[in-house]
Amino acid sequence: MTADRARAALAHLRRRVVINVAGLRFELEPETLARFPNTLLGSSENRKKFYDPYRDEYFFDRHRPSAEAIIAFYQTGGRLDRPDEVPVDVFTDELKFFKLGDDVIQRYREKEGFHRVAEQPLPRSKLVKDLWVLATKPRSSHWAMLFAFFSVFAILLSVAAVCTETLPMMQYSRNEKSPFVDPYFLIETVCTGWFVLELLLRVVTCPNRKRYFKSTLNIYDMIAVTPWFITIVTMMVEPMYMYAGWAMRVTRLLRATRALKLARYSRGLRMIGLALTASLPDIGMLGVFMGICIILFSSAIFFIEFGYESTHFESIPDGFWWALITMVTVGYGDHYPTTGGGKFLGSICALAGILTIALPVPVIVTKFDELYDRQTEKDSEEDEDEHNKGNKDDIEDSEDETLSEAPTTKETIV
């Protein structure tokens, strides 16, 4: 019986499948791997080319830290968790190599936050499609890059005009009698004309207008063209409208917000905006904590400085401003403590502000890194799709040329 048991144990050991990933060895039962027969490890036919008969194992020169998670996928019956030290793109490449399947990879990517976005269909008409791509995808062609260049130039010119026209030296050169021939008004007219053309081109060629008007960037486009029309109305009714001055100030403020249109042509600006939007709960928590600290420190400085003639804090609300600028380490110097206790409290307030502001910074940076990685991978996939589509079109064109050049049956007989 002892010999039989030994032979049975040896036979059982020989049945085990030994997986070696860059020196990290795993021993698994064949039934464990057979749970997913369509994968690389689950199919004996697929993995046999990696078999090393000298060591009696399957050797894979792949990413070692990802191996444990992939082996655990078989052991747990389909549970897949990425190790914290492994980047998302590296782990994705390993999943593709071991052929875990598109559905598994998609579930993993959704778990990581890479949600699949429904692709916006392109217009059916070739002319409309070309105009839509020209206005929305600057990297699609040289003409699209030129269109984007003029748009960025118009934005920068408009913002520069808003800033320079407020200079005192420029006020004397303004033509107040004929505002319609004023140089700044002419610059504004040209820039607004380009913005209107840009907006109409996108609206007319947009395949989904409902989705278009819900986009934040498109809302900025619509806001960018309103100041010129407000200016026209204000200049026409200014003699009889007592609030025309306020309307002009609001118009200038709206013109200054055109700088936000640059986000359409800058991936970095879009990533920063998305990172801040995704970090709003953490920023809100920071705001609440800052508010509590401001109330505590302003109350403390008021009671410490109370009764001194040289005090700058006549009430607790007077300390709000001091506590805020001290916590953000700005320190304008318009309000400051004069007693020893007040200076000590100010030191604690400054240190507390540094620690408080530093808390959400890693969260925002992490969000930015995640969004940047997703956008980079998305751009690479789009470039690959466009490249494949271009190759497919070239093949179809070559086939059409071949068919057109080939003689017909009648011509061949003749």
Side-chain angles (χ1 to χ4, degrees):
M1 292 293 294
T2 304
D4 294 339
R5 290 181 179 178
R7 285 194 295 270
L10 181 60
H12 182 70
L13 288 175
R14 288 178 177 175
R15 287 184 64 252
R16 291 180 182 174
V17 179
V18 180
I19 306 295
N20 187 340
V21 181
L24 185 61
R25 301 176 76 252
F26 303 92
E27 294 186 8
L28 297 94
E29 297 288 344
E31 293 79 6
T32 302
L33 297 176
R35 294 176 179 176
F36 302 94
N38 296 326
T39 61
L40 178 60
L41 299 180
S43 173
S44 58
E45 185 68 22
N46 293 335
R47 67 173 183 263
K48 69 179 182 179
K49 62 180 179 180
F50 299 96
Y51 181 69
D52 183 2
Y54 179 75
R55 295 180 177 271
D56 191 23
E57 65 182 18
Y58 296 90
F59 179 77
F60 299 90
D61 188 13
R62 300 297 300 180
H63 191 247
R64 182 171 175 170
S66 304
E68 292 186 358
I70 294 175
I71 295 299
F73 171 79
Y74 293 90
Q75 294 172 335
T76 58
R79 181 177 178 179
L80 188 62
D81 295 314
R82 176 180 61 88
D84 296 334
E85 68 275 11
V86 179
V88 175
D89 54 346
V90 174
F91 193 66
T92 304
D93 292 338
E94 294 302 306
L95 299 182
K96 293 179 181 178
F97 174 80
F98 286 100
K99 301 178 181 179
L100 296 191
D102 294 338
D103 54 341
V104 175
I105 296 176
Q106 183 61 34
R107 289 199 304 269
Y108 149 73
R109 291 174 61 82
E110 290 179 355
K111 184 178 179 181
E112 292 288 341
F114 292 84
H115 298 287
R116 179 179 294 177
V117 180
E119 296 184 358
Q120 185 174 359
L122 295 176
R124 296 182 178 180
S125 174
K126 186 179 185 304
L127 176 61
V128 176
K129 182 180 70 173
D130 293 340
L131 292 176
W132 168 252
V133 173
L134 174 71
T136 58
K137 296 184 178 182
R139 299 189 303 168
S140 60
S141 64
H142 295 292
W143 290 106
M145 294 179 64
L146 185 63
F147 184 87
F149 172 79
F150 280 113
S151 297
V152 173
F153 179 77
I155 294 170
L156 296 178
L157 180 62
S158 176
V159 174
V162 173
C163 298
T164 57
E165 71 177 351
T166 59
L167 294 173
M169 64 182 67
M170 296 298 178
Q171 300 296 326
Y172 297 101
S173 60
R174 302 294 297 272
N175 192 340
E176 297 181 356
K177 295 182 179 180
S178 301
F180 291 101
V181 297
D182 184 78
Y184 287 101
F185 179 77
L186 296 178
I187 293 175
E188 175 69 11
T189 302
V190 173
C191 294
T192 303
W194 178 264
F195 296 148
V196 171
L197 174 64
E198 183 184 24
L199 179 63
L200 291 177
L201 185 61
R202 292 196 179 101
V203 172
V204 172
T205 61
C206 178
N208 189 343
R209 290 185 176 84
K210 183 178 180 181
R211 182 179 177 181
Y212 175 85
F213 288 109
K214 290 182 179 180
S215 174
T216 304
L217 293 178
N218 299 325
I219 294 175
Y220 290 157
D221 290 341
M222 289 182 284
I223 294 176
V225 301
T226 55
W228 186 84
F229 297 98
I230 297 177
T231 302
I232 291 294
V233 174
T234 304
M235 287 191 300
M236 294 176 62
V237 301
E238 184 174 3
M240 62 189 75
Y241 188 48
M242 60 182 301
Y243 297 107
W246 284 100
M248 294 298 293
R249 295 174 187 175
V250 173
T251 301
R252 288 180 178 177
L253 179 60
L254 291 177
R255 288 167 59 192
T257 59
R258 289 174 178 172
L260 298 174
K261 284 172 60 65
L262 292 173
R264 180 183 293 278
Y265 308 99
S266 173
R267 184 175 65 179
L269 291 177
R270 291 197 302 271
M271 291 300 99
I272 292 175
L274 292 174
L276 293 176
T277 303
S279 305
L280 283 179
D282 304 287
I283 297 176
M285 180 181 63
L286 168 66
V288 172
F289 190 72
M290 285 281 290
I292 294 174
C293 291
I294 288 173
I295 293 174
L296 294 178
F297 284 113
S298 60
S299 302
I301 195 65
F302 170 73
F303 289 110
I304 290 175
E305 298 274 317
F306 182 76
Y308 291 90
E309 295 182 358
S310 59
T311 182
H312 294 272
F313 307 99
E314 300 294 338
S315 63
I316 291 178
D318 288 339
F320 289 168
W321 173 247
W322 168 83
L324 176 61
I325 63 175
T326 303
M327 292 186 69
V328 298
T329 66
V330 174
Y332 289 114
D334 53 348
H335 290 73
Y336 56 89
T338 57
T339 63
K343 294 178 180 179
F344 178 74
L345 180 65
S347 303
I348 297 177
C349 181
L351 293 175
I354 294 174
L355 296 175
T356 302
I357 295 174
L359 290 177
V361 172
V363 177
I364 298 175
V365 172
T366 302
K367 295 288 186 183
F368 180 83
D369 290 339
E370 293 177 356
L371 292 171
Y372 186 83
D373 292 338
R374 296 177 193 175
Q375 187 64 33
T376 302
E377 186 171 354
K378 180 181 177 182
D379 291 342
S380 62
E381 291 178 355
E382 289 180 355
D383 293 340
E384 184 177 357
D385 293 340
E386 291 180 0
H387 179 71
N388 295 334
K389 184 178 180 181
N391 292 337
K392 183 179 179 181
D393 293 340
D394 293 339
I395 293 173
E396 291 178 354
D397 293 340
S398 63
E399 290 178 353
D400 293 339
E401 292 177 358
T402 304
L403 292 176
S404 62
E405 294 175 358
T408 60
T409 305
K410 184 176 180 180
E411 292 173 348
T412 305
I413 294 174
V414 174

